[in-house]
mmCIF file of all heavy atoms in Angstrom:
data_model
loop_
_atom_site.group_PDB
_atom_site.id
_atom_site.type_symbol
_atom_site.label_atom_id
_atom_site.label_comp_id
_atom_site.label_asym_id
_atom_site.label_seq_id
_atom_site.Cartn_x
_atom_site.Cartn_y
_atom_site.Cartn_z
ATOM 1 N N ALA A 81 -8.064 2.614 15.218
ATOM 2 C CA ALA A 81 -8.597 2.481 16.573
ATOM 3 C C ALA A 81 -7.504 2.131 17.567
ATOM 4 O O ALA A 81 -6.518 1.463 17.231
ATOM 5 C CB ALA A 81 -9.684 1.419 16.607
ATOM 6 N N ASN A 82 -7.729 2.573 18.800
ATOM 7 C CA ASN A 82 -6.813 2.295 19.891
ATOM 8 C C ASN A 82 -7.653 1.912 21.102
ATOM 9 O O ASN A 82 -8.674 2.551 21.376
ATOM 10 C CB ASN A 82 -5.971 3.535 20.202
ATOM 11 C CG ASN A 82 -5.050 3.323 21.381
ATOM 12 O OD1 ASN A 82 -4.228 2.419 21.371
ATOM 13 N ND2 ASN A 82 -5.195 4.140 22.411
ATOM 14 N N TYR A 83 -7.236 0.862 21.823
ATOM 15 C CA TYR A 83 -8.018 0.364 22.950
ATOM 16 C C TYR A 83 -7.167 0.254 24.215
ATOM 17 O O TYR A 83 -5.963 -0.037 24.160
ATOM 18 C CB TYR A 83 -8.564 -1.038 22.646
ATOM 19 C CG TYR A 83 -9.543 -1.094 21.502
ATOM 20 C CD1 TYR A 83 -9.110 -1.357 20.204
ATOM 21 C CD2 TYR A 83 -10.900 -0.882 21.715
ATOM 22 C CE1 TYR A 83 -10.004 -1.407 19.143
ATOM 23 C CE2 TYR A 83 -11.805 -0.932 20.665
ATOM 24 C CZ TYR A 83 -11.346 -1.201 19.385
ATOM 25 O OH TYR A 83 -12.247 -1.242 18.336
ATOM 26 N N ALA A 84 -7.821 0.421 25.349
ATOM 27 C CA ALA A 84 -7.190 0.080 26.616
ATOM 28 C C ALA A 84 -7.039 -1.433 26.669
ATOM 29 O O ALA A 84 -7.872 -2.180 26.149
ATOM 30 C CB ALA A 84 -8.050 0.568 27.775
ATOM 31 N N ASP A 85 -5.970 -1.890 27.311
ATOM 32 C CA ASP A 85 -5.714 -3.334 27.388
ATOM 33 C C ASP A 85 -6.886 -4.083 28.029
ATOM 34 O O ASP A 85 -7.187 -5.224 27.655
ATOM 35 C CB ASP A 85 -4.439 -3.604 28.176
ATOM 36 C CG ASP A 85 -3.185 -3.207 27.415
ATOM 37 O OD1 ASP A 85 -3.261 -3.058 26.179
ATOM 38 O OD2 ASP A 85 -2.129 -3.037 28.052
ATOM 39 N N SER A 86 -7.541 -3.441 28.972
ATOM 40 C CA SER A 86 -8.608 -4.106 29.723
ATOM 41 C C SER A 86 -9.855 -4.401 28.886
ATOM 42 O O SER A 86 -10.690 -5.205 29.300
ATOM 43 C CB SER A 86 -8.997 -3.252 30.930
ATOM 44 O OG SER A 86 -9.442 -1.981 30.504
ATOM 45 N N VAL A 87 -9.987 -3.755 27.718
ATOM 46 C CA VAL A 87 -11.190 -3.955 26.912
ATOM 47 C C VAL A 87 -10.893 -4.568 25.545
ATOM 48 O O VAL A 87 -11.830 -4.861 24.789
ATOM 49 C CB VAL A 87 -11.971 -2.635 26.727
ATOM 50 C CG1 VAL A 87 -12.259 -1.989 28.070
ATOM 51 C CG2 VAL A 87 -11.241 -1.673 25.806
ATOM 52 N N LYS A 88 -9.631 -4.742 25.221
ATOM 53 C CA LYS A 88 -9.278 -5.333 23.922
ATOM 54 C C LYS A 88 -9.956 -6.684 23.745
ATOM 55 O O LYS A 88 -10.033 -7.475 24.682
ATOM 56 C CB LYS A 88 -7.756 -5.479 23.808
ATOM 57 C CG LYS A 88 -7.035 -4.194 23.474
ATOM 58 C CD LYS A 88 -5.527 -4.427 23.350
ATOM 59 C CE LYS A 88 -4.807 -3.126 23.039
ATOM 60 N NZ LYS A 88 -3.336 -3.314 22.980
ATOM 61 N N ALA A 89 -10.431 -6.926 22.543
ATOM 62 C CA ALA A 89 -11.091 -8.178 22.155
ATOM 63 C C ALA A 89 -12.506 -8.277 22.697
ATOM 64 O O ALA A 89 -13.224 -9.224 22.359
ATOM 65 C CB ALA A 89 -10.292 -9.403 22.580
ATOM 66 N N ARG A 90 -12.934 -7.335 23.526
ATOM 67 C CA ARG A 90 -14.313 -7.343 24.031
ATOM 68 C C ARG A 90 -15.111 -6.147 23.515
ATOM 69 O O ARG A 90 -16.318 -6.271 23.268
ATOM 70 C CB ARG A 90 -14.332 -7.334 25.555
ATOM 71 C CG ARG A 90 -13.651 -8.524 26.190
ATOM 72 C CD ARG A 90 -13.901 -8.554 27.706
ATOM 73 N NE ARG A 90 -13.352 -7.388 28.391
ATOM 74 C CZ ARG A 90 -14.078 -6.546 29.119
ATOM 75 N NH1 ARG A 90 -15.386 -6.718 29.261
ATOM 76 N NH2 ARG A 90 -13.498 -5.518 29.731
ATOM 77 N N PHE A 91 -14.465 -4.998 23.373
ATOM 78 C CA PHE A 91 -15.127 -3.775 22.939
ATOM 79 C C PHE A 91 -14.675 -3.429 21.517
ATOM 80 O O PHE A 91 -13.530 -3.686 21.143
ATOM 81 C CB PHE A 91 -14.767 -2.608 23.856
ATOM 82 C CG PHE A 91 -15.327 -2.693 25.250
ATOM 83 C CD1 PHE A 91 -15.954 -3.832 25.724
ATOM 84 C CD2 PHE A 91 -15.229 -1.583 26.095
ATOM 85 C CE1 PHE A 91 -16.455 -3.903 27.011
ATOM 86 C CE2 PHE A 91 -15.735 -1.626 27.382
ATOM 87 C CZ PHE A 91 -16.338 -2.783 27.843
ATOM 88 N N THR A 92 -15.595 -2.820 20.760
ATOM 89 C CA THR A 92 -15.272 -2.351 19.416
ATOM 90 C C THR A 92 -15.782 -0.933 19.236
ATOM 91 O O THR A 92 -16.967 -0.667 19.450
ATOM 92 C CB THR A 92 -15.902 -3.251 18.344
ATOM 93 O OG1 THR A 92 -15.439 -4.595 18.513
ATOM 94 C CG2 THR A 92 -15.513 -2.772 16.946
ATOM 95 N N ILE A 93 -14.887 -0.036 18.859
ATOM 96 C CA ILE A 93 -15.262 1.344 18.590
ATOM 97 C C ILE A 93 -15.417 1.530 17.085
ATOM 98 O O ILE A 93 -14.664 0.942 16.294
ATOM 99 C CB ILE A 93 -14.231 2.339 19.174
ATOM 100 C CG1 ILE A 93 -14.765 3.772 19.099
ATOM 101 C CG2 ILE A 93 -12.871 2.200 18.489
ATOM 102 C CD1 ILE A 93 -13.907 4.779 19.873
ATOM 103 N N SER A 94 -16.409 2.317 16.696
ATOM 104 C CA SER A 94 -16.616 2.621 15.285
ATOM 105 C C SER A 94 -17.216 4.019 15.177
ATOM 106 O O SER A 94 -17.641 4.593 16.185
ATOM 107 C CB SER A 94 -17.538 1.590 14.625
ATOM 108 O OG SER A 94 -18.803 1.578 15.244
ATOM 109 N N ARG A 95 -17.241 4.562 13.974
ATOM 110 C CA ARG A 95 -17.801 5.891 13.790
ATOM 111 C C ARG A 95 -18.466 6.001 12.430
ATOM 112 O O ARG A 95 -18.082 5.305 11.485
ATOM 113 C CB ARG A 95 -16.743 6.978 13.973
ATOM 114 C CG ARG A 95 -15.606 6.934 12.980
ATOM 115 C CD ARG A 95 -14.483 7.906 13.363
ATOM 116 N NE ARG A 95 -14.816 9.281 13.022
ATOM 117 C CZ ARG A 95 -14.032 10.318 13.330
ATOM 118 N NH1 ARG A 95 -12.908 10.136 13.996
ATOM 119 N NH2 ARG A 95 -14.379 11.543 12.978
ATOM 120 N N ASP A 96 -19.438 6.896 12.365
ATOM 121 C CA ASP A 96 -20.116 7.233 11.116
ATOM 122 C C ASP A 96 -19.843 8.707 10.880
ATOM 123 O O ASP A 96 -20.449 9.570 11.527
ATOM 124 C CB ASP A 96 -21.613 6.946 11.251
ATOM 125 C CG ASP A 96 -22.366 7.178 9.950
ATOM 126 O OD1 ASP A 96 -21.926 8.015 9.127
ATOM 127 O OD2 ASP A 96 -23.418 6.544 9.773
ATOM 128 N N ASN A 97 -18.920 9.000 9.981
ATOM 129 C CA ASN A 97 -18.515 10.385 9.764
ATOM 130 C C ASN A 97 -19.649 11.236 9.201
ATOM 131 O O ASN A 97 -19.732 12.433 9.483
ATOM 132 C CB ASN A 97 -17.298 10.434 8.840
ATOM 133 C CG ASN A 97 -16.057 9.860 9.497
ATOM 134 O OD1 ASN A 97 -15.872 9.982 10.706
ATOM 135 N ND2 ASN A 97 -15.212 9.222 8.710
ATOM 136 N N ALA A 98 -20.514 10.646 8.415
ATOM 137 C CA ALA A 98 -21.641 11.398 7.841
ATOM 138 C C ALA A 98 -22.613 11.863 8.921
ATOM 139 O O ALA A 98 -23.292 12.877 8.770
ATOM 140 C CB ALA A 98 -22.362 10.551 6.805
ATOM 141 N N LYS A 99 -22.677 11.090 10.020
ATOM 142 C CA LYS A 99 -23.604 11.416 11.114
ATOM 143 C C LYS A 99 -22.883 12.023 12.314
ATOM 144 O O LYS A 99 -23.525 12.298 13.338
ATOM 145 C CB LYS A 99 -24.349 10.153 11.554
ATOM 146 C CG LYS A 99 -25.247 9.561 10.486
ATOM 147 C CD LYS A 99 -25.974 8.323 11.010
ATOM 148 C CE LYS A 99 -26.889 7.735 9.959
ATOM 149 N NZ LYS A 99 -27.602 6.533 10.466
ATOM 150 N N ASN A 100 -21.562 12.209 12.205
ATOM 151 C CA ASN A 100 -20.773 12.728 13.340
ATOM 152 C C ASN A 100 -21.050 11.931 14.610
ATOM 153 O O ASN A 100 -21.226 12.495 15.697
ATOM 154 C CB ASN A 100 -21.076 14.214 13.574
ATOM 155 C CG ASN A 100 -20.547 15.097 12.474
ATOM 156 O OD1 ASN A 100 -19.539 14.768 11.831
ATOM 157 N ND2 ASN A 100 -21.198 16.209 12.230
ATOM 158 N N THR A 101 -21.081 10.627 14.467
ATOM 159 C CA THR A 101 -21.460 9.749 15.569
ATOM 160 C C THR A 101 -20.393 8.684 15.801
ATOM 161 O O THR A 101 -19.833 8.146 14.843
ATOM 162 C CB THR A 101 -22.807 9.077 15.281
ATOM 163 O OG1 THR A 101 -23.816 10.095 15.150
ATOM 164 C CG2 THR A 101 -23.217 8.142 16.414
ATOM 165 N N VAL A 102 -20.148 8.418 17.072
ATOM 166 C CA VAL A 102 -19.225 7.356 17.461
ATOM 167 C C VAL A 102 -19.991 6.323 18.272
ATOM 168 O O VAL A 102 -20.920 6.662 19.016
ATOM 169 C CB VAL A 102 -18.022 7.911 18.255
ATOM 170 C CG1 VAL A 102 -18.462 8.566 19.561
ATOM 171 C CG2 VAL A 102 -16.969 6.846 18.498
ATOM 172 N N TYR A 103 -19.610 5.070 18.095
ATOM 173 C CA TYR A 103 -20.278 3.957 18.770
ATOM 174 C C TYR A 103 -19.259 3.156 19.576
ATOM 175 O O TYR A 103 -18.070 3.129 19.259
ATOM 176 C CB TYR A 103 -20.936 3.022 17.746
ATOM 177 C CG TYR A 103 -21.887 3.709 16.805
ATOM 178 C CD1 TYR A 103 -21.453 4.122 15.544
ATOM 179 C CD2 TYR A 103 -23.200 3.958 17.170
ATOM 180 C CE1 TYR A 103 -22.318 4.757 14.661
ATOM 181 C CE2 TYR A 103 -24.070 4.598 16.295
ATOM 182 C CZ TYR A 103 -23.620 5.003 15.048
ATOM 183 O OH TYR A 103 -24.472 5.640 14.180
ATOM 184 N N LEU A 104 -19.756 2.483 20.604
ATOM 185 C CA LEU A 104 -18.929 1.554 21.361
ATOM 186 C C LEU A 104 -19.753 0.292 21.601
ATOM 187 O O LEU A 104 -20.715 0.311 22.371
ATOM 188 C CB LEU A 104 -18.479 2.158 22.690
ATOM 189 C CG LEU A 104 -17.494 1.296 23.478
ATOM 190 C CD1 LEU A 104 -16.148 1.233 22.740
ATOM 191 C CD2 LEU A 104 -17.295 1.850 24.891
ATOM 192 N N GLN A 105 -19.390 -0.772 20.918
ATOM 193 C CA GLN A 105 -20.025 -2.062 21.127
ATOM 194 C C GLN A 105 -19.268 -2.790 22.232
ATOM 195 O O GLN A 105 -18.069 -3.041 22.094
ATOM 196 C CB GLN A 105 -20.006 -2.891 19.839
ATOM 197 C CG GLN A 105 -20.601 -4.281 19.981
ATOM 198 C CD GLN A 105 -22.086 -4.248 20.284
ATOM 199 O OE1 GLN A 105 -22.833 -3.483 19.691
ATOM 200 N NE2 GLN A 105 -22.527 -5.093 21.226
ATOM 201 N N MET A 106 -19.975 -3.100 23.299
ATOM 202 C CA MET A 106 -19.349 -3.725 24.460
ATOM 203 C C MET A 106 -19.913 -5.132 24.640
ATOM 204 O O MET A 106 -21.115 -5.301 24.865
ATOM 205 C CB MET A 106 -19.607 -2.881 25.714
ATOM 206 C CG MET A 106 -19.140 -1.444 25.574
ATOM 207 S SD MET A 106 -19.334 -0.491 27.113
ATOM 208 C CE MET A 106 -21.111 -0.434 27.235
ATOM 209 N N ASN A 107 -19.050 -6.114 24.510
ATOM 210 C CA ASN A 107 -19.442 -7.514 24.668
ATOM 211 C C ASN A 107 -18.721 -8.128 25.871
ATOM 212 O O ASN A 107 -17.737 -7.577 26.354
ATOM 213 C CB ASN A 107 -19.108 -8.308 23.404
ATOM 214 C CG ASN A 107 -19.825 -7.807 22.178
ATOM 215 O OD1 ASN A 107 -20.964 -7.313 22.259
ATOM 216 N ND2 ASN A 107 -19.193 -7.929 21.013
ATOM 217 N N SER A 108 -19.222 -9.268 26.307
ATOM 218 C CA SER A 108 -18.601 -9.987 27.432
ATOM 219 C C SER A 108 -18.341 -9.055 28.613
ATOM 220 O O SER A 108 -17.253 -9.032 29.185
ATOM 221 C CB SER A 108 -17.289 -10.647 26.975
ATOM 222 O OG SER A 108 -17.509 -11.534 25.899
ATOM 223 N N LEU A 109 -19.341 -8.293 28.964
ATOM 224 C CA LEU A 109 -19.177 -7.290 30.017
ATOM 225 C C LEU A 109 -18.907 -7.931 31.368
ATOM 226 O O LEU A 109 -19.434 -9.009 31.686
ATOM 227 C CB LEU A 109 -20.407 -6.391 30.084
ATOM 228 C CG LEU A 109 -20.457 -5.331 28.975
ATOM 229 C CD1 LEU A 109 -21.868 -4.807 28.788
ATOM 230 C CD2 LEU A 109 -19.502 -4.194 29.300
ATOM 231 N N LYS A 110 -18.080 -7.252 32.134
ATOM 232 C CA LYS A 110 -17.673 -7.711 33.470
ATOM 233 C C LYS A 110 -18.092 -6.677 34.510
ATOM 234 O O LYS A 110 -18.242 -5.494 34.182
ATOM 235 C CB LYS A 110 -16.156 -7.872 33.520
ATOM 236 C CG LYS A 110 -15.582 -8.797 32.460
ATOM 237 C CD LYS A 110 -14.061 -8.786 32.523
ATOM 238 C CE LYS A 110 -13.449 -9.680 31.461
ATOM 239 N NZ LYS A 110 -11.965 -9.666 31.517
ATOM 240 N N PRO A 111 -18.246 -7.082 35.755
ATOM 241 C CA PRO A 111 -18.592 -6.095 36.800
ATOM 242 C C PRO A 111 -17.611 -4.926 36.860
ATOM 243 O O PRO A 111 -18.019 -3.798 37.147
ATOM 244 C CB PRO A 111 -18.554 -6.936 38.079
ATOM 245 C CG PRO A 111 -18.918 -8.304 37.628
ATOM 246 C CD PRO A 111 -18.274 -8.458 36.268
ATOM 247 N N GLU A 112 -16.356 -5.188 36.562
ATOM 248 C CA GLU A 112 -15.360 -4.105 36.600
ATOM 249 C C GLU A 112 -15.500 -3.114 35.453
ATOM 250 O O GLU A 112 -14.806 -2.092 35.422
ATOM 251 C CB GLU A 112 -13.931 -4.675 36.628
ATOM 252 C CG GLU A 112 -13.629 -5.685 35.545
ATOM 253 C CD GLU A 112 -13.786 -7.119 36.053
ATOM 254 O OE1 GLU A 112 -14.775 -7.403 36.784
ATOM 255 O OE2 GLU A 112 -12.924 -7.952 35.699
ATOM 256 N N ASP A 113 -16.399 -3.378 34.508
ATOM 257 C CA ASP A 113 -16.700 -2.413 33.454
ATOM 258 C C ASP A 113 -17.718 -1.372 33.923
ATOM 259 O O ASP A 113 -18.011 -0.411 33.196
ATOM 260 C CB ASP A 113 -17.243 -3.119 32.213
ATOM 261 C CG ASP A 113 -16.216 -4.015 31.542
ATOM 262 O OD1 ASP A 113 -15.050 -3.590 31.428
ATOM 263 O OD2 ASP A 113 -16.581 -5.130 31.131
ATOM 264 N N THR A 114 -18.268 -1.563 35.115
ATOM 265 C CA THR A 114 -19.226 -0.609 35.655
ATOM 266 C C THR A 114 -18.580 0.766 35.803
ATOM 267 O O THR A 114 -17.534 0.906 36.435
ATOM 268 C CB THR A 114 -19.745 -1.078 37.027
ATOM 269 O OG1 THR A 114 -20.487 -2.296 36.848
ATOM 270 C CG2 THR A 114 -20.639 -0.032 37.668
ATOM 271 N N ALA A 115 -19.210 1.762 35.202
ATOM 272 C CA ALA A 115 -18.644 3.115 35.200
ATOM 273 C C ALA A 115 -19.606 4.070 34.498
ATOM 274 O O ALA A 115 -20.556 3.633 33.831
ATOM 275 C CB ALA A 115 -17.296 3.130 34.466
#
Side-chain angles (χ1 to χ4, degrees):
N82 177 58
Y83 296 92
D85 288 342
S86 59
V87 307
K88 282 181 181 177
R90 300 189 298 122
F91 291 9
T92 302
I93 190 170
S94 60
R95 63 189 282 176
D96 184 332
N97 292 327
K99 296 181 179 180
N100 291 331
T101 299
V102 62
Y103 305 96
L104 186 68
Q105 178 65 43
M106 304 184 293
N107 299 328
S108 302
L109 283 160
K110 304 175 181 180
E112 52 263 43
D113 294 318
T114 295

